[in-house]
Amino acid sequence: MATIGDIGVSAAINILGAFIFLLAFAIVRLQPINDRVYFPKWYLKGLRDSPTHSGAFVRKFVNLDFRSYIGFLNWMPAALKMPEPELIEHAGLDSVVYLRIYLLGLKIFVPIAFIAWSILVPINFTNSTLEKLSNVTASDIDKLSISNVPLKSDRFWTHVVMAYAFTFWTCYVLRKEYETIANMRLQFLASEKRRPDQFTVLVRNVPPDPDESVSELVEHFFLVNHRDNYLMDQVVINANKLAKLVTKKKKMQNWLDYYQVKYSRNDSKRPTMKTGFLGLWGEKVDAVDYHISAIEKLSKEIAEERARVVHDPQSVMPAAFVSFKSRWGAAVCAQTQQSRNPTLWLTEWAPEPRDVYWQNLAIPYVSLAVRRLIMGVAFFFLTFFFMIPIAFVQSLASIEGIEKAAPFLKPMIEAKFIKSVVQGFLPGIALKLFLIFLPTILMIMSKFEGFISLSSLERRAATRYYFFNFVNVFLGSIIAGTAFEQLNTFIKQSANEIPKTIGIAIPNKATFFITYIMVDGWAGIAAEILMLKPLIFFHLKNFFLVKTEKDREEAMDQGSLGFNTGEPRIQFYFLLGLVYATVTPLLLPFIIVFFGLAYVVFRHQIINVYNQEYESAAAFWPDVHGRVIAALVISQLLLMGLLSTKEAAQSTPFLIALPVITIWFHYFCKGRYESAFVKYPLQEAMMKDTLERAREPNLNLKGYLQNAYVHPVFKNDDDDDDVFYKKEEDENILVPTKRQSRRNTPVPSKISGTSSPPSLPEAVPEHPEP
């Protein structure tokens, strides 16, 4: 059981680690050689050039102006200076709303911490329950928790009242924030510049038709059913194999460049390599000749695969990106049912082009349900079996557990400083290490499920990461930790005493979570800003591969927010804060430090480093809101269970209303604000279209959208036979069909069952391009 001294040692280690990271960053960022690592976003915008210094050669690499080192922490106030509207224009709404999650944490927990420390801590501390119990291991920290309140005490009424106060305050802040961000989203969409996804809808599960190709069928369907708004379509093709070949060729080209540069620096010796795995074994060959030959072979394969994809009808998927003449027309199509059969002609807003995850577009729609079932089962087993390492980590939280597993270590770990490190630092860092590969695993699972955009992939992975944290890190730590810590007590005491022991032991686990917060939320956040991995990789690339200014730009690793990892971590702190606010308020200041430090660090990163891969206009906010609500309900249920073990029979029933009120509040916010995040108001679409027509009456929208949703492997392709993306523009457009009986008057398809309106004229005249 960690003591105040152990927590102090852990705090000292993590504060020192965080200070070292921040100090190193403040010094390294000032060096001219590192400028592209710590300010890449400004280079991408063309607003910053590589620093040059006249005079000594060393000035090109090292900043010799010692006055600049005096204000080495000036980056902190500088990160807070940029106003929010300017930050939205600079980094996008996604980044700004992500930062507001940290502000939400400060808004919720600063007042709660003040009230809890003013009221609950004195009430808990002025008892002596734990001192009278000989069968439970406790420390001075636990005397500040609800565990120190005696059974059946009237003081539990204070905890009940505080639970109501904390719930109402959290709901009030959440509602205000939801309203603010909903308005920010609508305002952002209204003021945003023209984007292809505003005019485009993704159509999936196009029914097969023996008389027409997918492209002809899609064009016919929308000319008939959206005749005043349809503009063009681009069918989805399965170019995954071609994309892999192109990627492989690019990697080979990078290695060829590396070996050519190496040879140019020392032309007396040709570079060699082994052809086996990772170059560890295999035949020894000339590296330059080998890669030239491999690139030539890949080029032939790419040409053959491109020709196959272009001419093979089997490469065409039953899906298409359909573009409209107006945002209004796209909104109508994306938000309505297209066919009598609700499983056909499924429409949804198309992701913006840079947000599309092209590999998954080739997955047949009918297989998605099966894939998601498989991944659901796999995630269940992943979560269940991860309890084993979690239990092992929890054994490290106890000196007794280590001594039982390795008795020979007892003399060493009994030393005061070593004991403090083991109790206050090791459990948190061990758990952090166990979770390193989890985000990658969850992202792979999300990709297998078939989500079609990077944003949806990240949101799915974030949802599972949060659930995993709740089950394994939170519940697993409490349950496994209690089992290891109180094993002797469970064996020796009667069965009816066990619930009481667990009721006391749950708040006692706050010491473990405090150490985890300091490792992950203090030192971990400070390490984020140093960007050690991008720094090392940039200089390796710069030394070996960079030959031109374009190469130097490609060597920069801007990174992004990483919503799939960052947001679940934030939500875990919301969960800890809300659960322990009435149980062990000592934990709250540690969480507040995390939210404050993380807000400053990530604001700096968003301004200077991160280049977001996509812009969803804060579409993730309903997920954020829902998870905070879930944490609030969990905290209420756990408090009810805890008070029941404390035999607070009179006060416990009054907590039953809290989950009901919280869930009602959630549905109120969902009904009031969520539509702003899942639908585009037709009124807003019409206003934006009207303004655009007035400002740009001669806009060639078809030219603007022509190549927006072309697969990336074709965007630089000049082949004339790309039938999928280059359609002839006829002077008089008729409804295209191969059915002789419907050459001029469309009739229902034998497969799709769609038909045109009775009043449709025999020929649909050409729609003038906007």
Side-chain angles (χ1 to χ4, degrees), residues 101-267:
I101 305 177
Y102 294 105
L103 285 181
L104 178 68
L106 292 174
K107 292 175 183 177
I108 290 175
F109 289 116
V110 169
I112 286 179
F114 177 78
I115 295 174
W117 275 78
S118 300
I119 299 175
L120 291 179
V121 169
I123 288 178
N124 294 336
F125 186 71
T126 54
N127 291 279
S128 57
T129 302
L130 294 177
E131 295 177 358
K132 299 176 182 178
L133 292 175
S134 59
N135 63 334
V136 174
T137 304
S139 69
D140 292 338
I141 294 175
D142 302 316
K143 295 178 182 179
L144 302 177
S145 74
I146 198 173
S147 299
N148 203 32
V149 181
L151 301 179
K152 302 180 181 180
S153 174
D154 290 336
R155 295 191 176 196
F156 288 123
W157 281 106
T158 307
H159 297 83
V160 172
V161 173
M162 289 297 100
Y164 271 90
F166 298 162
T167 296
F168 289 152
W169 172 249
T170 302
C171 290
Y172 171 77
V173 175
L174 278 175
R175 191 197 70 82
K176 295 290 290 184
E177 196 69 14
Y178 212 149
E179 182 179 27
T180 299
I181 293 175
N183 290 332
M184 289 174 64
R185 174 180 166 86
L186 293 175
Q187 184 178 358
F188 177 80
L189 293 175
S191 61
E192 193 180 25
K193 295 179 181 179
R194 182 171 55 251
R195 290 195 332 191
D197 54 294
Q198 297 171 351
F199 300 88
T200 307
V201 168
L202 175 62
V203 183
R204 308 185 76 177
N205 217 22
V206 176
D209 196 305
D211 298 320
E212 292 183 337
S213 67
V214 173
S215 178
E216 293 169 335
L217 187 59
V218 169
E219 188 173 13
H220 173 266
F221 180 88
F222 284 95
L223 277 172
V224 169
N225 297 288
H226 295 267
R227 55 186 178 184
D228 294 328
N229 296 297
Y230 169 77
L231 180 62
M232 57 175 289
D233 65 86
Q234 293 172 339
V235 296
V236 174
I237 64 171
N238 185 353
N240 288 351
K241 183 179 179 181
L242 178 60
K244 290 179 181 178
L245 291 173
V246 171
T247 302
K248 187 176 180 181
K249 180 183 175 181
K250 185 176 181 180
K251 291 180 179 178
M252 284 289 184
Q253 186 63 52
N254 288 338
W255 277 111
L256 177 61
D257 293 342
Y258 164 75
Y259 284 116
Q260 286 178 334
V261 171
K262 185 177 181 180
Y263 179 61
S264 66
R265 292 174 178 173
N266 183 15
D267 56 6

Side-chain angles (χ1 to χ4, degrees), residues 22 30 86 130 158 171 195 229 321 478 530 535 714 729:
L22 295 176
L30 294 175
E86 185 179 344
L130 294 177
T158 307
C171 290
R195 290 195 332 191
N229 296 297
F321 291 100
I478 290 176
L530 184 58
L535 177 67
F714 290 104
E729 298 182 16

Side-chain angles (χ1 to χ4, degrees), residues 504-522:
I504 295 175
I506 287 177
N508 290 353
K509 291 306 297 180
T511 55
F512 167 76
F513 289 121
I514 288 174
T515 62
Y516 179 78
I517 291 169
M518 288 188 289
V519 171
D520 180 70
W522 294 10

Side-chain angles (χ1 to χ4, degrees), residues 655-666:
L655 288 172
I656 296 176
L658 273 182
V660 177
I661 294 173
T662 305
I663 293 172
W664 171 86
F665 168 78
H666 170 65

Side-chain angles (χ1 to χ4, degrees), residues 367-379 448-449 460 464:
S367 69
L368 295 181
V370 177
R371 284 170 168 261
R372 289 171 188 177
L373 175 62
I374 293 173
M375 284 300 99
V377 174
F379 178 68
F448 181 82
E449 286 184 286
R460 179 66 164 182
R464 285 189 163 154

Side-chain angles (χ1 to χ4, degrees), residues 55 113 116 118 159 174 259 275 311 368 376 384 424 487 493 495 514 543 546 553 557 570 609 638 659 683 695 748 752:
S118 300
H159 297 83
L174 278 175
Y259 284 116
T275 58
H311 295 100
L368 295 181
F384 179 78
L487 182 60
Q493 69 183 184
I514 288 174
F543 182 78
V546 170
E553 289 182 3
D557 182 11
I570 304 172
V609 181
L638 290 180
Q683 183 184 25
R695 293 170 180 170
S752 64

